[in-house]
Amino acid sequence: MKTNKFKFGISYINTQSWLHSLNGITKFVLFMAWVTMVLLTFDLRVICGLIILGLYLLKETKVPFSVYKPLLMGTTVVLLMNALFMFLIAPQQGTDYMGTKTVLLHVFGHYDITLETLFYLLTVTLKYFSMFPIALVFVFTTHPTEFSASLNKLGVPYRVSYAVSLTLRYLPEVMKDFTNIMHAQQARGVDISKNAPVMTRIRNVAKILGPLIFSSLDRADVISNAMTLRGFGRNKKRTWYSLKPMTKNDYVALAVIAVVLVFGILHRMGSTSLFWYPFH
């Protein structure tokens, strides 16, 4: 029987790029500032600039394209489906925001494909997509323990920071367990391929998820007992072995991030309309 192969490509990959050398605090601040900029603006010019910069930073991580290609394709499909559903639910949304109506094609009823609607859907779709590259940059270049140390340095309680570290660290392990259990079940004749009916596949997937949940709970219990035996949580503070010191490059990067974020906020406050629309 042919088995499916899964690869978990969303994890820390040390390619020793200049982004890897930055402090975890710097990369976390960059990620949060990036998300803030995306949430603030509906200006397509700014969004396209963020996408270009994000793709450049993603390339600078030196992570092979093949690692995140499936995720890129999946994200693109989801965003296109989201745009379609947005049009089906509110076909006049773009016209309402832009204040004009230029009908390109009448479909049926009140469903008209307008220039304003296409521009609105393009802006919103690219707005969502602009967070994709920087999220991968952050995950690929930041070790989970380093990220947790950075959170603790920013004032987050170390118990919460360590919980985040464990979550990020064991996601690949959970995926590996899923693959092993799936192969074991397929060896026993459990079919989850396209040849099986949909309901049969759903029932067979449940046979994989059950052992996966129990194995994950067992791992969590082992980790919890080990941490308790080592006195984790006894002290109010703790030190971190993987915490990097801030360097000149980190301070320069933080200054640039702060300046760009301030300009972004001022640009949003000075805008007279929510969307930038060049076809008025």
Side-chain angles (χ1 to χ4, degrees), residues 66-117:
S66 58
V67 173
Y68 54 88
K69 179 182 176 181
L71 185 60
L72 175 62
M73 296 175 61
T75 302
T76 303
V77 171
V78 170
L79 290 178
L80 291 177
M81 292 179 62
N82 179 69
L84 176 61
F85 287 131
M86 289 173 63
F87 173 73
L88 294 176
I89 295 173
Q92 305 299 327
Q93 193 80 2
T95 301
D96 295 339
Y97 277 117
M98 309 307 167
T100 59
K101 186 174 183 179
T102 308
V103 179
L104 300 178
L105 178 65
H106 175 71
V107 184
F108 64 89
H110 65 285
Y111 284 93
D112 295 322
I113 297 179
T114 64
L115 180 62
E116 292 77 8
T117 297

Side-chain angles (χ1 to χ4, degrees), residues 148 157-168 227 232 240:
S148 301
Y158 75 86
R159 295 176 182 85
V160 178
S161 301
Y162 203 81
V164 173
S165 173
L166 288 177
T167 302
L168 295 176
M227 292 171 66
F232 182 83
W240 296 83

Side-chain angles (χ1 to χ4, degrees), residues 69-232:
K69 179 182 176 181
L71 185 60
L72 175 62
M73 296 175 61
T75 302
T76 303
V77 171
V78 170
L79 290 178
L80 291 177
M81 292 179 62
N82 179 69
L84 176 61
F85 287 131
M86 289 173 63
F87 173 73
L88 294 176
I89 295 173
Q92 305 299 327
Q93 193 80 2
T95 301
D96 295 339
Y97 277 117
M98 309 307 167
T100 59
K101 186 174 183 179
T102 308
V103 179
L104 300 178
L105 178 65
H106 175 71
V107 184
F108 64 89
H110 65 285
Y111 284 93
D112 295 322
I113 297 179
T114 64
L115 180 62
E116 292 77 8
T117 297
L118 291 178
F119 188 84
Y120 166 76
L121 294 176
L122 175 65
T123 301
V124 173
T125 300
L126 291 181
K127 178 183 174 75
Y128 294 151
F129 181 79
S130 63
M131 289 188 283
F132 172 79
I134 198 64
L136 288 185
V137 169
F138 180 74
V139 173
F140 287 151
T141 62
T142 310
H143 193 276
T145 306
E146 179 191 352
F147 176 47
S148 301
S150 303
L151 287 178
N152 185 227
K153 188 73 174 179
L154 291 173
V156 178
Y158 75 86
R159 295 176 182 85
V160 178
S161 301
Y162 203 81
V164 173
S165 173
L166 288 177
T167 302
L168 295 176
R169 185 184 303 173
Y170 285 101
L171 277 176
E173 295 299 322
V174 171
M175 191 62 189
K176 186 184 298 183
D177 287 346
F178 176 81
T179 304
N180 292 335
I181 294 171
M182 180 189 67
H183 289 166
Q185 295 287 42
Q186 286 179 329
R188 294 181 175 91
V190 176
D191 190 6
I192 58 173
S193 66
K194 297 180 180 179
N195 298 327
V198 175
M199 294 305 299
T200 301
R201 287 206 303 252
I202 293 175
R203 287 194 297 267
N204 290 341
V205 167
K207 296 178 181 178
I208 299 174
L209 294 180
L212 178 65
I213 292 173
F214 285 113
S215 65
S216 299
L217 291 175
D218 182 64
R219 178 184 285 112
D221 185 57
V222 171
I223 294 172
S224 176
N225 291 334
M227 292 171 66
T228 301
L229 290 173
R230 287 167 175 79
F232 182 83

